[in-house]
Amino acid sequence: MKAWKAAAALGVAAALCVGTPAVLAAGDDPAAGGGQEPPADPPPADPPPDEPPPDEPPPDEPGVDEAVAAEEARKKEEARIREVVSAFEKSMKKGDVDQQMKAITDISTTKHPLVAKALIPWIQPTVEESVRDLAIEAAKSQESQDVAAAAYSLFEKNAKNLKFARKMIGIMGRSKDAKQVAKLRGIVKKPEYDLDLQREAVIALGLIGHRDAIPDLIRMCREFENPHIPPKEVPRKNALQQSVEEALDRITGTHMPSAKAWETWWRDNEKTFQKGDGQAPK
């Protein structure tokens, strides 16, 4: 009986061995009856090709001093203007009236202090009238302080020549030069000046557009609104009132219906209007 149990146990063990695959140790040959070899690790991937370095910007050009370049350009332009002025002066000195007027027309397209100064001799009262009048218009377009100063000097010397004096005041107004405001206010205030000249001076104040003219103009508005204005002042009122109102509108960029309204506006705006700006508005 014991022999039979031992034989049965051996048979079961043999059956189990046949149904279970053997595990190969590392290095066992699969052809010798063991299991399959595990897959080998894949070969390492080739490294990516080196990227070319980015293009480097070209080296900076040698630095150019902008101030030096600007100065060089200014000198070239001034040299060109001097040639223009020289040609103008030759034409004016040697040419007839037609040639002179052509020379003035040609140079008037150039705005420069040298051109402005070159025109001053040709706005004198002794110059032939058609040439002078054209030179005066050219001088106005220069908006030059030098021309304005020369015009005031000529005005003072020729105030009795009303036609010429008015044109000199016109040059002062077109100059936009704040330095002319006090001179023009003086013309308006002095009773010895003709009313046409005073009106021209008021218009010039409006063209310059500076705050210093405002108090005088408001005061004149108040005088002209006086229902009891002296009879001797009526011609002045008739000559100047409209120009005074237009000058105030132009300088301030606003409109008020009365002297009282202007006085209120000035009280509200005197401390700030055009403050910090030494020049008249354009």
Side-chain angles (χ1 to χ4, degrees), residues 165-199:
R166 278 199 304 271
K167 291 178 178 179
M168 294 301 101
I169 295 174
I171 291 176
M172 294 168 68
R174 286 285 296 277
S175 72
K176 303 293 181 68
D177 178 15
K179 294 178 181 178
Q180 306 306 315
V181 171
K183 300 171 185 176
L184 292 166
R185 290 169 63 195
I187 294 172
V188 174
K189 290 177 180 179
K190 292 179 181 177
E192 62 265 30
Y193 286 128
D194 186 89
L195 290 177
D196 283 348
L197 299 182
Q198 292 187 7
R199 181 172 59 246

Short mmCIF file of all heavy atoms in Angstrom, two decimals, residues 165-199:
data_model
loop_
_atom_site.label_atom_id
_atom_site.label_comp_id
_atom_site.label_asym_id
_atom_site.label_seq_id
_atom_site.Cartn_x
_atom_site.Cartn_y
_atom_site.Cartn_z
N ALA A 165 2.90 154.99 -43.46
CA ALA A 165 2.91 154.65 -42.03
C ALA A 165 1.99 153.47 -41.74
O ALA A 165 2.33 152.58 -40.93
CB ALA A 165 2.51 155.86 -41.21
N ARG A 166 0.83 153.41 -42.39
CA ARG A 166 -0.07 152.28 -42.18
C ARG A 166 0.59 150.96 -42.59
O ARG A 166 0.44 149.93 -41.93
CB ARG A 166 -1.36 152.47 -42.99
CG ARG A 166 -2.40 153.37 -42.33
CD ARG A 166 -3.78 153.14 -42.92
NE ARG A 166 -3.80 153.32 -44.36
CZ ARG A 166 -4.00 154.49 -44.97
NH1 ARG A 166 -4.22 155.58 -44.25
NH2 ARG A 166 -4.01 154.58 -46.28
N LYS A 167 1.34 151.01 -43.68
CA LYS A 167 2.01 149.79 -44.15
C LYS A 167 3.11 149.35 -43.19
O LYS A 167 3.33 148.14 -43.01
CB LYS A 167 2.56 150.02 -45.55
CG LYS A 167 1.46 150.16 -46.59
CD LYS A 167 2.01 150.44 -47.98
CE LYS A 167 0.85 150.52 -48.97
NZ LYS A 167 1.31 150.83 -50.34
N MET A 168 3.76 150.30 -42.56
CA MET A 168 4.78 149.93 -41.58
C MET A 168 4.14 149.26 -40.36
O MET A 168 4.67 148.27 -39.82
CB MET A 168 5.59 151.16 -41.15
CG MET A 168 6.43 151.78 -42.27
SD MET A 168 7.64 150.64 -43.00
CE MET A 168 6.81 150.14 -44.51
N ILE A 169 2.99 149.78 -39.95
CA ILE A 169 2.28 149.14 -38.84
C ILE A 169 1.84 147.74 -39.24
O ILE A 169 1.89 146.79 -38.44
CB ILE A 169 1.07 150.00 -38.40
CG1 ILE A 169 1.55 151.33 -37.83
CG2 ILE A 169 0.24 149.25 -37.37
CD1 ILE A 169 0.42 152.30 -37.51
N GLY A 170 1.44 147.59 -40.50
CA GLY A 170 1.05 146.27 -40.99
C GLY A 170 2.19 145.27 -40.90
O GLY A 170 1.98 144.10 -40.56
N ILE A 171 3.41 145.72 -41.21
CA ILE A 171 4.58 144.84 -41.08
C ILE A 171 4.75 144.43 -39.62
O ILE A 171 5.03 143.27 -39.31
CB ILE A 171 5.85 145.54 -41.60
CG1 ILE A 171 5.78 145.69 -43.12
CG2 ILE A 171 7.09 144.75 -41.20
CD1 ILE A 171 6.97 146.46 -43.71
N MET A 172 4.60 145.39 -38.70
CA MET A 172 4.76 145.07 -37.28
C MET A 172 3.76 144.00 -36.84
O MET A 172 4.10 143.06 -36.11
CB MET A 172 4.57 146.34 -36.46
CG MET A 172 5.66 147.40 -36.69
SD MET A 172 5.23 149.02 -35.99
CE MET A 172 5.30 148.64 -34.23
N GLY A 173 2.51 144.12 -37.28
CA GLY A 173 1.51 143.15 -36.89
C GLY A 173 1.77 141.77 -37.46
O GLY A 173 1.63 140.76 -36.76
N ARG A 174 2.20 141.71 -38.70
CA ARG A 174 2.45 140.41 -39.33
C ARG A 174 3.71 139.73 -38.78
O ARG A 174 3.91 138.53 -39.01
CB ARG A 174 2.58 140.60 -40.85
CG ARG A 174 1.27 140.85 -41.56
CD ARG A 174 0.44 139.59 -41.69
NE ARG A 174 1.15 138.62 -42.52
CZ ARG A 174 1.12 138.62 -43.85
NH1 ARG A 174 0.38 139.53 -44.50
NH2 ARG A 174 1.77 137.70 -44.53
N SER A 175 4.54 140.49 -38.07
CA SER A 175 5.78 139.90 -37.54
C SER A 175 5.50 138.87 -36.45
O SER A 175 6.34 138.03 -36.16
CB SER A 175 6.68 141.00 -36.96
OG SER A 175 6.14 141.50 -35.75
N LYS A 176 4.32 138.96 -35.80
CA LYS A 176 4.00 138.11 -34.65
C LYS A 176 5.02 138.28 -33.51
O LYS A 176 5.19 137.40 -32.68
CB LYS A 176 3.92 136.64 -35.05
CG LYS A 176 2.94 136.32 -36.16
CD LYS A 176 1.51 136.55 -35.72
CE LYS A 176 0.51 136.23 -36.80
NZ LYS A 176 0.43 134.81 -37.12
N ASP A 177 5.67 139.43 -33.51
CA ASP A 177 6.73 139.69 -32.53
C ASP A 177 6.13 140.36 -31.30
O ASP A 177 5.63 141.49 -31.37
CB ASP A 177 7.81 140.58 -33.16
CG ASP A 177 8.93 140.93 -32.20
OD1 ASP A 177 9.03 140.27 -31.14
OD2 ASP A 177 9.71 141.86 -32.52
N ALA A 178 6.19 139.67 -30.14
CA ALA A 178 5.61 140.21 -28.91
C ALA A 178 6.27 141.53 -28.49
O ALA A 178 5.67 142.32 -27.77
CB ALA A 178 5.72 139.18 -27.79
N LYS A 179 7.50 141.76 -28.95
CA LYS A 179 8.19 143.00 -28.58
C LYS A 179 7.51 144.23 -29.20
O LYS A 179 7.76 145.35 -28.74
CB LYS A 179 9.64 142.94 -29.03
CG LYS A 179 10.47 141.89 -28.30
CD LYS A 179 11.88 141.86 -28.82
CE LYS A 179 12.73 140.81 -28.11
NZ LYS A 179 14.11 140.73 -28.66
N GLN A 180 6.71 144.03 -30.21
CA GLN A 180 6.04 145.17 -30.86
C GLN A 180 4.76 145.60 -30.15
O GLN A 180 4.20 146.65 -30.45
CB GLN A 180 5.71 144.81 -32.32
CG GLN A 180 6.90 144.34 -33.14
CD GLN A 180 8.07 145.30 -33.11
OE1 GLN A 180 7.89 146.51 -33.26
NE2 GLN A 180 9.26 144.77 -32.90
N VAL A 181 4.29 144.78 -29.19
CA VAL A 181 3.01 145.06 -28.55
C VAL A 181 3.03 146.40 -27.82
O VAL A 181 2.12 147.22 -27.96
CB VAL A 181 2.62 143.93 -27.57
CG1 VAL A 181 1.40 144.32 -26.74
CG2 VAL A 181 2.34 142.65 -28.36
N ALA A 182 4.07 146.66 -27.05
CA ALA A 182 4.14 147.93 -26.30
C ALA A 182 4.16 149.13 -27.26
O ALA A 182 3.54 150.16 -26.98
CB ALA A 182 5.38 147.93 -25.40
N LYS A 183 4.86 148.99 -28.38
CA LYS A 183 4.93 150.09 -29.35
C LYS A 183 3.56 150.35 -29.98
O LYS A 183 3.14 151.50 -30.14
CB LYS A 183 5.95 149.76 -30.43
CG LYS A 183 7.36 149.53 -29.89
CD LYS A 183 8.28 148.99 -30.98
CE LYS A 183 9.65 148.64 -30.42
NZ LYS A 183 10.53 148.01 -31.45
N LEU A 184 2.87 149.27 -30.29
CA LEU A 184 1.54 149.43 -30.89
C LEU A 184 0.54 149.98 -29.88
O LEU A 184 -0.32 150.81 -30.25
CB LEU A 184 1.07 148.07 -31.42
CG LEU A 184 1.87 147.54 -32.62
CD1 LEU A 184 1.57 146.06 -32.85
CD2 LEU A 184 1.55 148.34 -33.88
N ARG A 185 0.63 149.56 -28.64
CA ARG A 185 -0.25 150.14 -27.62
C ARG A 185 0.00 151.62 -27.49
O ARG A 185 -0.95 152.41 -27.28
CB ARG A 185 0.01 149.44 -26.27
CG ARG A 185 -0.47 148.00 -26.22
CD ARG A 185 0.04 147.28 -24.97
NE ARG A 185 -0.48 147.91 -23.76
CZ ARG A 185 0.02 147.68 -22.54
NH1 ARG A 185 1.07 146.86 -22.39
NH2 ARG A 185 -0.50 148.27 -21.48
N GLY A 186 1.25 152.03 -27.60
CA GLY A 186 1.57 153.46 -27.54
C GLY A 186 0.93 154.23 -28.69
O GLY A 186 0.43 155.35 -28.49
N ILE A 187 0.93 153.64 -29.88
CA ILE A 187 0.30 154.31 -31.02
C ILE A 187 -1.19 154.50 -30.78
O ILE A 187 -1.77 155.55 -31.08
CB ILE A 187 0.54 153.49 -32.31
CG1 ILE A 187 2.04 153.48 -32.65
CG2 ILE A 187 -0.26 154.06 -33.48
CD1 ILE A 187 2.41 152.53 -33.79
N VAL A 188 -1.82 153.46 -30.22
CA VAL A 188 -3.27 153.52 -29.97
C VAL A 188 -3.61 154.60 -28.94
O VAL A 188 -4.64 155.29 -29.05
CB VAL A 188 -3.79 152.16 -29.50
CG1 VAL A 188 -5.27 152.25 -29.11
CG2 VAL A 188 -3.61 151.11 -30.60
N LYS A 189 -2.75 154.78 -27.95
CA LYS A 189 -3.05 155.69 -26.85
C LYS A 189 -2.78 157.16 -27.17
O LYS A 189 -3.38 158.05 -26.55
CB LYS A 189 -2.24 155.29 -25.62
CG LYS A 189 -2.66 153.98 -24.98
CD LYS A 189 -1.75 153.64 -23.81
CE LYS A 189 -2.13 152.34 -23.15
NZ LYS A 189 -1.23 151.98 -22.02
N LYS A 190 -1.86 157.40 -28.10
CA LYS A 190 -1.44 158.78 -28.33
C LYS A 190 -2.42 159.51 -29.25
O LYS A 190 -2.59 159.14 -30.41
CB LYS A 190 -0.04 158.82 -28.93
CG LYS A 190 1.03 158.34 -27.95
CD LYS A 190 2.41 158.36 -28.59
CE LYS A 190 3.47 157.87 -27.59
NZ LYS A 190 4.83 157.82 -28.20
N PRO A 191 -3.05 160.56 -28.73
CA PRO A 191 -4.06 161.25 -29.54
C PRO A 191 -3.48 161.96 -30.76
O PRO A 191 -4.22 162.29 -31.69
CB PRO A 191 -4.67 162.27 -28.56
CG PRO A 191 -3.62 162.46 -27.51
CD PRO A 191 -2.90 161.16 -27.40
N GLU A 192 -2.17 162.20 -30.77
CA GLU A 192 -1.59 162.90 -31.91
C GLU A 192 -1.55 162.05 -33.17
O GLU A 192 -1.38 162.59 -34.27
CB GLU A 192 -0.18 163.41 -31.59
CG GLU A 192 0.84 162.33 -31.27
CD GLU A 192 0.98 162.08 -29.78
OE1 GLU A 192 0.00 162.27 -29.05
OE2 GLU A 192 2.09 161.70 -29.37
N TYR A 193 -1.71 160.74 -33.02
CA TYR A 193 -1.68 159.89 -34.20
C TYR A 193 -3.06 159.85 -34.85
O TYR A 193 -4.10 159.82 -34.18
CB TYR A 193 -1.24 158.47 -33.84
CG TYR A 193 0.23 158.36 -33.56
CD1 TYR A 193 0.68 157.77 -32.38
CD2 TYR A 193 1.18 158.83 -34.46
CE1 TYR A 193 2.04 157.65 -32.10
CE2 TYR A 193 2.55 158.73 -34.19
CZ TYR A 193 2.96 158.14 -33.01
OH TYR A 193 4.30 158.06 -32.75
N ASP A 194 -3.05 159.85 -36.16
CA ASP A 194 -4.29 159.80 -36.94
C ASP A 194 -5.10 158.55 -36.56
O ASP A 194 -4.54 157.49 -36.25
CB ASP A 194 -3.93 159.78 -38.43
CG ASP A 194 -5.15 159.87 -39.31
OD1 ASP A 194 -5.56 161.00 -39.64
OD2 ASP A 194 -5.69 158.80 -39.68
N LEU A 195 -6.43 158.67 -36.60
CA LEU A 195 -7.29 157.55 -36.24
C LEU A 195 -7.09 156.34 -37.17
O LEU A 195 -7.23 155.20 -36.73
CB LEU A 195 -8.76 157.98 -36.26
CG LEU A 195 -9.17 158.95 -35.14
CD1 LEU A 195 -10.63 159.38 -35.31
CD2 LEU A 195 -8.96 158.31 -33.77
N ASP A 196 -6.74 156.58 -38.42
CA ASP A 196 -6.45 155.46 -39.32
C ASP A 196 -5.24 154.67 -38.82
O ASP A 196 -5.20 153.43 -38.92
CB ASP A 196 -6.18 155.96 -40.74
CG ASP A 196 -7.47 156.33 -41.48
OD1 ASP A 196 -8.56 155.99 -40.98
OD2 ASP A 196 -7.38 156.95 -42.55
N LEU A 197 -4.25 155.39 -38.31
CA LEU A 197 -3.07 154.71 -37.77
C LEU A 197 -3.40 153.97 -36.49
O LEU A 197 -2.91 152.86 -36.25
CB LEU A 197 -1.95 155.72 -37.52
CG LEU A 197 -1.44 156.50 -38.75
CD1 LEU A 197 -0.30 157.43 -38.36
CD2 LEU A 197 -0.98 155.53 -39.85
N GLN A 198 -4.24 154.58 -35.65
CA GLN A 198 -4.65 153.90 -34.41
C GLN A 198 -5.43 152.62 -34.73
O GLN A 198 -5.21 151.58 -34.09
CB GLN A 198 -5.48 154.85 -33.55
CG GLN A 198 -4.68 156.02 -32.99
CD GLN A 198 -5.48 156.85 -32.01
OE1 GLN A 198 -6.60 156.49 -31.63
NE2 GLN A 198 -4.92 157.97 -31.58
N ARG A 199 -6.31 152.70 -35.71
CA ARG A 199 -7.08 151.50 -36.08
C ARG A 199 -6.14 150.42 -36.63
O ARG A 199 -6.28 149.24 -36.30
CB ARG A 199 -8.14 151.83 -37.13
CG ARG A 199 -8.96 150.62 -37.54
CD ARG A 199 -10.14 150.98 -38.43
NE ARG A 199 -9.69 151.63 -39.64
CZ ARG A 199 -9.95 152.91 -39.95
NH1 ARG A 199 -10.68 153.65 -39.13
NH2 ARG A 199 -9.52 153.44 -41.08
#
